[in-house]
Amino acid sequence: MTFWTDVFWPAIKILIILNAVLILVALLVWAERRISAFIQDRLGPNRVGPAGLLQSFADLLKFIFKEDVTPGHVNKPYFVLAPALAVMPAMIALAVVPFASTLIIADVDIGILFVFAISSLGVYGITIGGWASNNKYSLLGGIRSSAQMISYEICLGLAVIGVFMLSRTLRLQTVVEMQGDGIWLFGNHYGGFAKILDWNVFKQPLGFLIFMIAGFAETNRLPFDLPEAEQELVAGYHTEYSSMKFALFFLGEYAAMFVMSAVAVTLFLGGWTLFGLEELGWFVQLLIFLGKVLALLFFFIWVRWTLPRFRYDQLMRLGWQVFLPLGLLNIVLTGVLKLIFKV
Amino acid sequence: MAYKTVERPVLTTAEKLYLPAVMKGLGLTLKYFLKRKKFTRQYPEEPTVVPEGYRGLPSLVKDDEGRVKCVACSMCEWVCPPEAIRVIPGELPGDDPVEKGPKEFELDTLRCIFCGLCEEACPEEAIFLSETFEYCGRSREEMIFGKEKLLEIGGVRAEGVKKWKKEADAGFSRKGPRR
């Protein structure tokens, strides 16, 4: 317990990771708009900075200078609290995400439990925001969000149990390391490019599928963006919000998306490992990790502009009647296969 | 019977899984994502091409010999529904076969509704709806365009009626017919 190891270096790491993620989130908003435009045969924002890269920062300035309207009929303390509650969980969950073998803020043994415990708090921001707005659309959005997140959190939890049955630990660094040490097949050890087969996505395909779909629902992304379904609910839970408060909800949504992708990469796609390149040092590991996260984020955006929104009853049926049994089946299957192959 | 039985399609197992359809959809959006040609027109750099017969800002024209075709008959002023046009006629100097011309010709671009009636009413083919749609000003006064500006926008139109030439050919002069 010294000042350097317990205060100084963690603070530096927090500074690096938080800033990097915030900038990435800003670029993510730009990417979302550009990719959606390209998919629709448009160009999207391309004026501010090279290829429009600074668009998000221009938007941020606009958000800061806009009038911050607080309607008279809202419950003010909760109304002000909600945007902060929407952003905090995503930021806190970053603490246990392993960006590289040494670049992790808190290397805790209960890694994934911490992520789930914190990220499920995200629903409070949305629900409280919807309730405090004292507006029927906001309230409906908030209620939908809470029901959706509770339903899909269970599927999310069940989907990752298979991974931890293989890794026998909840510590995220160990999960990553185990995915990067090559595979054993018929008594031979295969390294190099075959290492990619060690990723959990190939050992747990069903788990990965459920995790991704539940992840879409958790982050309120299309095809599960019922809390803010524009056609039905105006803007859902953030109908009454303006200025920087709205920007915070926005930031929270995209940061949650980033965290969900980071967790998916850590658990299923080998984290910061890639063909043994990770031995080059922490910076290469960070680049590998961010590259994988960005690829997954592209997938998030790509899906958003492909699939239409689910109906509410379809969403609930999918969660409880399809993914819950599938998740349980995945656990049983993993157990049986573990017994057979003695891993 | 007040109801109708609708035949529901029987889905195969693959269709019930949705995933093949999702993959197909993703493939389609990816195809459009990678497509090079976009519909967006980069406006200020890429000029907008207006269709034929576009009704832009009304403008005055000169003929190929540099004469203002308008004879200040005030037909356009009379016909203009929003009363956007104001013509102040004046006498042309010297021994010009045409006596009258516009001393001042004002078009209030804030009132103009681009109906094109001025163009239709003009007996001298002197006013046309141009293809100009980009114009601006910082005050209401600036948005009232005068004769010089309208002539600049209108440019030259050689074809059509030339009153002064017709008059001159007929031997008309200010002092009376030269017969």
Side-chain angles (χ1 to χ4, degrees):
Chain A
M1 179 75 182
T2 63
F3 171 77
W4 290 103
T5 55
D6 289 354
V7 181
F8 184 73
W9 286 116
I12 294 288
K13 282 177 186 168
I14 290 170
L15 209 66
I16 294 173
I17 289 176
L18 203 62
N19 277 305
V21 168
L22 283 178
I23 289 169
L24 272 173
V25 165
L27 295 181
L28 182 61
V29 177
W30 166 81
E32 166 107 56
R33 294 175 63 183
R34 282 287 269 186
I35 291 169
S36 69
F38 270 63
I39 284 174
Q40 296 167 350
D41 283 350
R42 298 182 288 117
L43 285 174
N46 61 350
R47 296 279 161 163
V48 193
L53 269 170
L54 299 177
Q55 181 68 44
S56 299
F57 300 98
D59 286 345
L60 181 73
L61 272 181
K62 193 194 85 173
F63 275 130
I64 289 172
F65 285 116
K66 270 204 153 187
E67 186 188 355
D68 192 1
V69 182
T70 306
H73 55 72
V74 301
N75 186 329
K76 208 172 170 199
Y78 288 130
F79 187 78
V80 176
L81 183 68
L85 276 181
V87 180
M88 293 304 287
M91 296 288 155
I92 296 173
L94 282 173
V96 295
V97 173
F99 285 84
S101 57
T102 50
L103 191 60
I104 177 168
I105 296 172
D107 190 4
V108 289
D109 287 339
I110 54 158
I112 193 67
L113 278 183
F114 182 82
V115 171
F116 282 172
I118 295 296
S119 69
S120 52
L121 291 178
V123 71
Y124 282 106
I126 294 173
T127 313
I128 289 178
W131 178 76
S133 291
N134 198 4
N135 168 323
K136 55 181 175 264
Y137 296 121
S138 302
L139 183 62
L140 278 171
I143 290 171
R144 281 185 183 189
S145 178
S146 52
Q148 178 177 326
M149 282 185 130
I150 289 166
S151 307
Y152 277 82
E153 207 122 83
I154 294 165
C155 308
L156 206 66
L158 287 178
V160 297
I161 287 178
V163 172
F164 296 108
M165 285 167 82
L166 292 176
S167 68
R168 298 163 196 234
T169 173
L170 294 178
R171 189 170 162 263
L172 292 174
Q173 283 292 22
T174 319
V175 175
V176 174
E177 281 156 17
M178 282 191 65
Q179 292 180 74
D181 57 2
I183 50 165
W184 289 89
L185 209 63
F186 308 117
N188 296 318
H189 182 260
Y190 293 94
F193 285 99
K195 274 185 178 179
I196 203 168
L197 290 173
D198 199 27
W199 291 2
N200 280 327
V201 64
F202 298 108
K203 295 176 185 164
Q204 291 278 330
L206 187 60
F208 181 65
L209 185 73
I210 299 169
F211 184 87
M212 281 311 289
I213 294 170
F216 278 107
E218 274 288 291
T219 48
N220 295 325
R221 293 286 295 179
L222 261 151
F224 305 115
D225 72 331
L226 288 132
E228 48 188 301
E230 291 92 352
Q231 293 84 350
E232 306 152 30
L233 300 181
V234 191
Y237 58 89
H238 55 57
T239 305
E240 299 284 0
Y241 284 90
S242 55
S243 177
M244 207 54 208
K245 290 206 196 84
F246 171 76
L248 281 180
F249 272 123
F250 211 68
L251 178 70
E253 187 188 325
Y254 280 85
M257 226 170 105
F258 182 88
V259 170
M260 190 55 72
S261 300
V263 172
V265 166
T266 307
L267 293 180
F268 292 98
L269 298 175
W272 37 261
T273 66
L274 189 74
F275 313 135
L277 280 174
E278 66 272 13
E279 278 148 33
L280 291 172
W282 69 272
F283 193 69
V284 178
Q285 293 172 355
L286 181 65
L287 287 184
I288 292 169
F289 184 81
L290 288 181
K292 286 178 180 176
V293 170
L294 289 181
L296 209 54
L297 286 171
F298 174 78
F299 181 69
F300 263 79
I301 296 169
W302 182 16
V303 166
R304 172 171 179 183
W305 298 97
T306 303
L307 298 179
R309 186 182 304 124
F310 275 67
R311 220 167 50 211
Y312 191 66
D313 62 313
Q314 291 172 330
L315 174 92
M316 284 297 152
R317 201 176 62 210
L318 197 67
W320 290 103
Q321 295 187 1
V322 178
F323 288 132
L324 189 66
L326 272 182
L328 290 170
L329 178 74
N330 187 44
I331 294 169
V332 175
L333 264 180
T334 311
V336 171
L337 289 175
K338 247 175 98 87
L339 270 181
I340 294 172
F341 290 108
K342 304 253 185 319
V343 262
Chain B
M1 294 289 251
Y3 62 87
K4 189 182 165 193
T5 313
V6 180
E7 287 281 322
R8 298 285 180 198
V10 183
L11 299 179
T12 60
T13 317
E15 282 171 335
K16 272 183 195 163
L17 270 177
Y18 293 121
L19 284 176
V22 169
M23 293 297 164
K24 206 176 141 193
L26 286 174
L28 189 76
T29 43
L30 190 67
K31 201 181 85 192
Y32 277 90
F33 177 73
L34 298 172
K35 203 170 111 179
R36 298 300 301 166
K37 176 136 176 48
K38 305 291 176 195
F39 280 108
T40 310
R41 200 179 280 143
Q42 298 273 49
Y43 165 59
E45 291 88 16
E46 246 180 273
T48 304
V49 184
V50 298
E52 204 181 326
Y54 181 81
R55 300 206 303 250
L57 193 71
S59 61
L60 294 174
V61 295
K62 287 181 175 176
D63 66 11
D64 49 347
E65 285 166 62
R67 284 186 59 110
V68 179
K69 286 177 103 177
C70 179
V71 295
C73 67
S74 295
M75 288 290 270
C76 47
E77 186 178 353
W78 179 80
V79 80
C80 184
E83 299 181 4
I85 298 175
R86 195 165 70 97
V87 188
I88 300 171
E91 196 178 342
L92 292 181
D95 187 30
D96 200 294
V98 180
E99 294 170 45
K100 212 173 154 196
K103 198 164 88 187
E104 193 44 76
F105 192 103
E106 281 179 357
L107 175 75
D108 189 343
T109 55
L110 296 174
R111 293 192 75 119
C112 180
I113 56 169
F114 310 100
C115 60
L117 282 181
C118 45
E119 182 179 330
E120 276 182 46
C122 185
E124 302 298 330
E125 298 180 7
I127 186 163
F128 286 93
L129 263 56
S130 64
E131 292 182 346
T132 306
F133 59 90
E134 304 156 303
Y135 52 89
C136 58
R138 287 200 173 80
S139 63
R140 284 171 191 276
E141 288 72 39
E142 258 181 79
M143 293 306 282
I144 299 171
F145 286 10
K147 189 173 86 173
E148 297 310 316
K149 195 154 185 180
L150 292 173
L151 280 168
E152 196 184 307
I153 295 166
V156 175
R157 260 184 210 242
E159 74 279 11
V161 185
K162 283 179 186 168
K163 180 167 179 172
W164 65 276
K165 198 159 186 175
K166 211 164 65 186
E167 301 279 313
D169 288 350
F172 180 83
S173 98
R174 198 71 70 83
K175 289 161 194 132
R178 268 188 302 191
R179 293 202 183 110

